[in-house]
Every structure is written in structure tokens, then in C-alpha cells.
Amino acid sequence: MAGLRGAGDVSMSDVTSLTAPEEAKKVEERARNTTAHVIIVGNEKGGAGKSTVAIHLAVALTRMGKKVGMVDLDLRQGTLSKYLNNRKKWCEKFNVTLPNPLVHKIEPSVARHLDEIEADESARWAHAVDTLTEAGCDFIIADSPGSDNYLARTAHGYADTIITPVNDSFVDFALLGEVDPDTFEVSRPSQYSEMVWECRKRKAIFQKKTLDWVVMRNRVAMLDSRNKRRVGDGLKKLSERVGFRLAPGFAERVIYRELFPLGLTLLDLTEHGSTVQFTMSHVAARQELRDLIMLLKFPSLAGQKIQF
Ligand SMILES: Nc1ncnc2c1ncn2[C@@H]1O[C@H](COP(=O)(O)OP(=O)(O)OP(=O)(O)O)[C@@H](O)[C@H]1O
Ligand SMILES: [Mg+2]
């Protein structure tokens, strides 16, 4: 199947041009009505933990027996693609088979004019969703870049769930809305919040479906502090005003940085070949991931025990 491969085979390039308007329209219509649950991990701020969350969620769902497709929307930085490439190399080195999501690679458009580039990118994204759905994926998880761009915005329009990791700091509040630092009254939603609202409205009108927006705290300090509590209180207020659900999220743990070069997730540490010592901190981190999946309430997991 064009553009579809196992994790790590991301250097191959066989993306055909999809700019023929009629073909692109048909693919887009099919993709919009996809049966796969589309999850976009996004915010417009760099380094909040999007790629980390995306890969962990993908591996967890795969380990739970779901078929998961992944799309890297960060064409410039390509962290997710690099992560999956590292995973492939690790598997080859230790002759191990790990549960892997499918990957659909989107190549940057080579068109010269902005409107052509945008049409091309829309078509390529729709093609990715269409192809992964045809391959039988229950979930499609897309990892967004840390800045606003056309491809990521288009992908948000297909989302059933948007997960927005935010660092545990007031600096990240601006991503969600302009707030009074003392009262947390929202004077204005951010551009990102408005974009999510727009997606939600369109989804309700054109697809008669709901869009769930979940903001999760990331890199939460282990120790209780006044700042930690204030950030928590502020996010709670913001969630009511801006319209997202709040997830407790992930604590700050060094392990996440160690995992990237290996291409592993917290769920792979007990596999043959892993030299990372499995500790209580990792057990707690896995529980945080389970809690996140529980909170996300994916319809296809209803009644299923969150186990990996
Ligand atoms: N909970 C955490 N504790 C410690 N380090 C973390 C945590 N989550 C992510 N990191 C680390 O923070 C860095 C940025 O994470 P990541 O690449 O997932 O962010 P991102 O939002 O995808 O960034 P970008 O916007 O650049 O794509 C990485 O080195 C990652 O290992
Ligand atoms: Mg990233």
C-alpha cells in the first residue's frame, strides 16, 4: 500500500502527487468519514512533550491489541520519524520484535505557490488518513509541530480527540488563553483555542460528531509546591472557560530523555535487550499513562481493562 510501512521505514519515499482536484476531493471525503479514531497531539509551543505523548499512546494502544497508525506532521523537525527510526534500529540490533504502530510518511510538497502547497498538503494528509483506515487502523495518531502551520491546522480539522500537553508553568497558559495572573479570568482565548473551537463547531455541523479536547500537564514537579498548586488551580479555571477537559498528566522524569535515542517507550523496558533498569519511578510513570488512557474514554476501549 503506497506510503504505508512498519515503524522506522521512514526514509523510503513513494508519495505520489495528489493534486488532481477530483481525486483529492474524493480522498478527502472518505478520510473525513473515517472509521478510525483520529487523535491529534498538538499545541503551538515547542518542547511541551507532544512527540513523547504521541509515541507512548501509540505503543500503549498497540500493546492493548489495537491497530494504530501514526503520522508525523512535523515535516521539518521530524522527531516522531526519528524516534521510530531509532526503534527500528534498536530492534535490529537486539533481534527483537516490538509492538509497532504503522507509519504513514508525508513528504513535503514540492509545489511552488502557496495555494498549491496547501492543496497538496491537505491531499497528502487526507491520503494518509484514508490509507491507514483502509489498512484497518482503529486509531490514527498524528504528532504536530510546535508552531502553527497549514498541515497541522488541516489535521486538527479531522480530530476526534485533541491532546494538548502543557508544561507545568504559567508561561504555557498563553497557549490556551490570555489570563489575569491573579484571578485567572480569561480575557481572550488564544488563537489555538479558537482554532480548536472552530474544529469542534465544524465537526458538529458537518459530521454530527463531537470533538474531545484534553489538556494534560506534563513535566509536573514531583514535590508539592505553591507554584504547582497555583498552576493546577489556574488550569482548572481555564478548562471551564476555554472548554477542555483536564488530565493530570505526566511527572518530570529523566527516563523520557533517555528513551528517545533508543526508540523505546516506558512499556518496552522489560523487553530483552533493554539495559535500562526498571524502577519504581517507571512503574509510576506507566500508571500515569494508564490514567491518561482511562481519562480519554475512547469508545472502542469501553469496558476493556487498560492493561499493558
Ligand atoms: N515528562 C517528562 N519528563 C522529562 N522530560 C520530558 C518529559 N516529557 C518530555 N520530555 C523531554 O522533553 C523534550 C521535549 O519533548 P518532546 O520532543 O516530546 O516535545 P514536543 O512538544 O514534541 O517538542 P516540539 O514542539 O519541538 O516537537 C524531550 O527531550 C523529551 O524527552
Ligand atoms: Mg515533537
Side-chain angles (χ1 to χ4, degrees):
M1 197 162 289
L4 235 202
R5 45 195 71 103
D9 291 335
V10 285
S11 56
M12 290 154 65
S13 147
D14 59 359
V15 176
T16 45
S17 177
L18 282 161
T19 40
E22 279 317 303
E23 169 65 5
K25 235 187 207 159
K26 271 190 232 153
V27 172
E28 187 178 326
E29 204 172 305
R30 276 204 309 269
R32 277 201 186 278
N33 293 312
T34 178
T35 49
H37 191 102
V38 179
I39 304 167
I40 307 291
V41 187
N43 71 15
E44 291 170 359
K45 184 175 176 296
K50 296 177 290 296
S51 304
T52 305
V53 170
I55 184 80
H56 274 82
L57 190 57
V59 171
L61 292 170
T62 307
R63 281 185 180 270
M64 287 176 70
K66 296 293 171 188
K67 198 157 187 180
V68 180
M70 294 201 87
V71 184
D72 191 349
L73 299 172
D74 194 347
L75 305 189
R76 202 176 291 173
Q77 194 171 255
T79 305
L80 179 72
S81 306
K82 288 177 190 152
Y83 207 129
L84 293 167
N85 236 334
N86 294 343
R87 188 172 178 85
K88 187 185 175 213
K89 282 191 202 143
W90 192 89
C91 286
E92 283 167 1
K93 184 171 170 189
F94 294 103
N95 198 19
V96 169
T97 309
L98 289 179
N100 277 327
L102 291 174
V103 184
H104 187 103
K105 176 138 176 83
I106 294 188
E107 295 288 348
S109 170
V110 289
R112 301 179 73 178
H113 302 290
L114 189 62
D115 52 347
E116 287 168 3
I117 294 172
E118 291 185 351
D120 221 11
E121 289 188 348
S122 289
R124 282 165 196 238
W125 160 253
H127 182 57
V129 174
D130 193 41
T131 312
L132 289 167
T133 305
E134 239 183 71
C137 287
D138 305 293
F139 291 93
I140 295 171
I141 303 179
D143 181 28
S144 309
S147 56
D148 175 38
N149 74 21
Y150 185 80
L151 176 61
R153 238 178 302 139
T154 304
H156 275 71
Y158 286 65
D160 296 298
T161 302
I162 294 175
I163 303 174
T164 302
V166 290
N167 279 323
D168 215 30
S169 108
F170 285 104
V171 180
D172 278 20
F173 273 44
L175 167 80
L176 304 164
E178 221 169 77
V179 286
D180 180 299
D182 296 317
T183 61
F184 301 119
E185 290 306 323
V186 183
S187 51
R188 213 158 40 126
S190 67
Q191 260 186 14
Y192 187 77
S193 298
E194 283 189 355
M195 190 260 287
V196 174
W197 262 111
E198 194 54 35
C199 294
R200 193 173 259 169
K201 240 174 26 197
R202 293 179 71 85
K203 193 150 192 101
I205 296 169
F206 298 117
Q207 290 178 39
K208 311 265 179 285
K209 278 165 116 184
T210 52
L211 160 58
D212 190 19
W213 184 19
V214 172
V215 172
M216 62 171 281
R217 292 168 84 173
N218 189 28
R219 313 189 72 154
V220 183
M222 294 282 192
L223 295 175
D224 197 24
S225 69
R226 186 164 171 267
N227 180 63
K228 185 173 158 180
R229 261 173 283 133
R230 273 174 57 83
V231 170
D233 292 345
L235 277 172
K236 213 176 276 169
K237 270 200 173 171
L238 258 176
S239 74
E240 288 153 17
R241 299 295 168 93
V242 179
F244 54 79
R245 295 200 296 133
L246 190 59
F250 297 170
E252 167 78 32
R253 295 179 204 274
V254 237
I255 183 68
Y256 289 108
R257 264 163 290 163
E258 293 169 8
L259 290 170
F260 173 75
L262 303 173
L264 299 181
T265 68
L266 283 164
L267 313 185
D268 308 310
L269 296 181
T270 44
E271 295 285 348
H272 163 73
S274 167
T275 50
V276 183
Q277 207 189 346
F278 195 57
T279 67
M280 282 315 285
S281 163
H282 304 152
V283 173
R286 284 188 187 200
Q287 188 54 45
E288 288 169 355
L289 181 55
R290 267 184 225 110
D291 291 343
L292 174 66
I293 296 177
M294 206 117 70
L295 182 133
L296 289 168
K297 290 197 173 83
F298 295 128
S300 68
L301 295 184
Q304 187 172 340
K305 207 163 171 223
I306 313 295
Q307 215 165 21
F308 40 73

